[in-house]
Amino acid sequence: MTNSRQLWRRTLAGVAVANALPLVGIALFDWGLAHLLIVYWVEITAEALRRTLEATFAGQRGAAENWAAADSRWGWRSPFRSLREKRGGVQLHETLPPTYPRSFPRVFDLGRAILGLSLFSGAGLWLATAGSGVFVESLLVAGATTLAREGTTLADHVRSRDYHELVPQSILTPRSILGVVLLAVIVVWGVALGPSPTESTGVVFALVYLARVGFDVYSVVGQRERFDPLDPSEADFEDDDEWQLVIVPDRDPTDVFHTNRRAVWLSAVVDGLLGMLNPRRFAAAGVTAFLGFVVAGTMWAVVGASVVVIVTVAHTLVEKDLRWGHLEYRVYEGVVVCYDCLLDEPQWRVERGQVTDATDRSGLLGSALGVSSISLERRGNGTRRTLRHLDTANPPVSELG
């Protein structure tokens, strides 16, 4: 209780100091509306980044969803959707909780909307204040105070929160998303008024300031939004215990087949480049190139399109490396176990007595990369497990069948 009260007091003090900054600015440095909007943009964007980072620490799985329907919503594919069944987590630094790849689909689905609105708002502010120096001046002032506040908040949360008992939605809450949406609306409204970057426009300044103060006060001292991941009436999640346990035999395996990570990377690059043929990605590259050409000429059109291609390839590379790049397949006398060495967790097992067919499905790309992919079909439900990118020249079809 004492730690909670101390944390609440520190949070309240941080909010008070942050909201005093614009008053100091207008009193001593003759700040205008543009300064205020830029300060709030920095604060809300930094908070969104911090929450997105924290959401990757959430140890509970999100609810089972109809992923095909979710992916078709608005025509967008859920980022990192292939990782939603990954077991285990990896600790990136000893001072941080483990990061769970299975949380990435939900985190990036919500995070890209939050950060997209923040970047859109920042671009509008930059264009509205171009040439005046207001943007850089306010960015430096707000950046120093915001970095200290968000860094302190992250450190407090890492020490006090049990992230293993949370799901991503408990951190990326609707209220945090609403704050970014309101910021975008206020920025568009302020820019549309067309004031000089140094003009105070007192009434509008006061309205924006009071709106921000009210939102902060309500978030701290009002009825806080509590998302209880252990309450079935409020939370929709699946506990790890609901996953069927993957039991690894306590004896040494008779053979171990490793994934060829280099082959995973090369196939990911090829898939990323071919993925640019997707109409949405192709349109994104085309629109970016067109805007670059209109604003700055041919060179920036090429740069813009290249950035889209690089981001697409990098996303595909990271996703496939997390999915397959660290796997090894341990063959025991009666079972085959897929083990992720990065996450230090078994992913699945197949009883060899249930395997009715083992087929080499390397394909043209696998043959060119010198790796094998073996599909194991199981008796009964007809489901398959595939051993991908095996680092072996001779496919072990007969041994696994």
Side-chain angles (χ1 to χ4, degrees):
M1 178 68 69
T2 302
N3 291 336
S4 177
R5 186 179 294 112
Q6 290 176 348
L7 177 61
W8 183 85
R9 288 175 179 173
R10 283 198 298 269
T11 302
L12 186 59
V15 169
V17 171
N19 284 289
L21 179 62
L23 298 180
V24 174
I26 195 172
L28 300 181
F29 304 107
D30 197 26
W31 273 13
L33 177 62
H35 295 86
L36 183 69
L37 293 177
I38 293 169
V39 168
Y40 287 164
W41 173 74
V42 172
E43 291 179 355
I44 294 178
T45 300
E47 181 184 7
L49 286 170
R50 191 254 304 164
R51 285 179 177 271
T52 302
L53 172 63
E54 285 193 72
T56 65
F57 302 150
Q60 298 289 2
R61 291 197 299 163
E65 298 182 49
N66 184 342
W67 283 88
D71 289 340
S72 63
R73 191 181 304 149
W74 308 109
W76 292 104
R77 176 184 181 272
S78 296
F80 296 101
R81 63 175 178 175
S82 63
L83 304 179
R84 61 187 181 270
E85 295 298 331
K86 270 289 186 179
R87 300 168 183 255
V90 57
Q91 194 163 13
L92 300 178
H93 193 273
E94 60 182 6
T95 60
L96 296 175
T99 293
Y100 296 90
R102 62 172 173 264
S103 296
F104 288 4
R106 177 59 62 196
V107 170
F108 280 87
D109 212 14
L110 297 174
R112 67 179 175 182
I114 294 175
L115 297 180
L117 284 171
S118 296
L119 292 176
F120 169 77
S121 304
L125 289 171
W126 179 76
L127 291 173
T129 58
S132 66
V134 168
F135 189 87
V136 176
E137 173 190 341
S138 304
L139 187 65
L140 292 175
V141 174
T145 57
T146 302
L147 183 63
R149 186 179 69 174
E150 293 301 328
T152 303
T153 301
L154 177 62
D156 283 337
H157 286 182
V158 166
R159 287 194 296 263
S160 62
R161 274 184 169 176
D162 184 3
Y163 286 99
H164 182 71
E165 296 298 329
L166 299 177
V167 292
Q169 296 95 315
S170 62
I171 300 172
L172 287 169
T173 59
R175 182 175 297 169
S176 64
I177 300 174
L178 176 61
V180 179
V181 173
L182 289 177
L183 171 69
V185 171
I186 291 174
V187 167
V188 172
W189 174 47
V191 171
L193 293 176
S196 167
T198 57
E199 186 178 347
S200 62
T201 58
V203 174
V204 180
F205 187 104
L207 288 175
V208 173
Y209 177 76
L210 292 175
R212 171 67 179 183
V213 171
F215 189 85
D216 280 347
V217 170
Y218 177 73
S219 298
V220 174
V221 302
Q223 184 176 1
R224 300 179 62 84
E225 183 177 24
R226 295 295 186 185
F227 185 99
D228 184 1
L230 303 180
D231 185 352
S233 66
E234 296 185 18
D236 198 8
F237 79 103
E238 298 178 8
D239 192 274
D240 285 345
D241 293 339
E242 294 185 16
W243 270 355
Q244 184 178 0
L245 293 177
V246 178
I247 302 175
V248 180
D250 56 4
R251 58 186 181 277
D252 293 333
T254 58
D255 209 343
V256 177
F257 298 99
H258 297 276
T259 296
N260 187 320
R261 199 175 180 193
R262 174 177 171 273
V264 173
W265 289 358
L266 291 174
S267 66
V269 171
V270 173
D271 287 347
L273 293 174
L274 293 177
M276 289 304 303
L277 298 177
N278 180 291
R280 291 183 294 276
R281 293 177 178 175
F282 187 82
V287 170
T288 304
F290 174 75
L291 293 176
F293 178 78
V294 170
V295 174
T298 304
M299 185 186 73
W300 285 102
V302 175
V303 170
S306 299
V307 168
V308 175
V309 174
I310 291 172
V311 170
T312 300
V313 172
H315 165 267
T316 307
L317 180 62
V318 172
E319 182 174 9
K320 288 188 177 296
D321 183 66
L322 287 173
R323 188 179 183 188
W324 294 314
H326 306 271
L327 299 180
E328 66 179 25
Y329 303 96
R330 302 175 181 178
V331 181
Y332 298 88
E333 182 177 350
V335 68
V336 178
V337 175
C338 172
Y339 197 90
D340 194 305
C341 298
L342 175 66
L343 306 180
D344 194 24
E345 190 79 19
Q347 302 299 306
W348 50 261
R349 60 176 275 164
V350 172
E351 303 293 336
R352 295 178 66 180
Q354 295 181 351
V355 177
T356 60
D357 185 43
T359 307
D360 182 5
R361 298 185 181 275
S362 303
L364 181 61
L365 182 59
S367 300
L369 297 176
V371 294
S372 303
S373 293
I374 309 301
S375 176
L376 304 180
E377 185 170 349
R378 292 185 290 179
R379 181 185 297 109
N381 55 15
T383 58
R384 295 179 178 178
R385 291 290 190 183
T386 302
L387 288 63
R388 299 179 184 272
H389 305 292
L390 295 181
D391 190 10
T392 175
N394 300 314
V397 176
S398 58
E399 183 176 348
L400 296 175

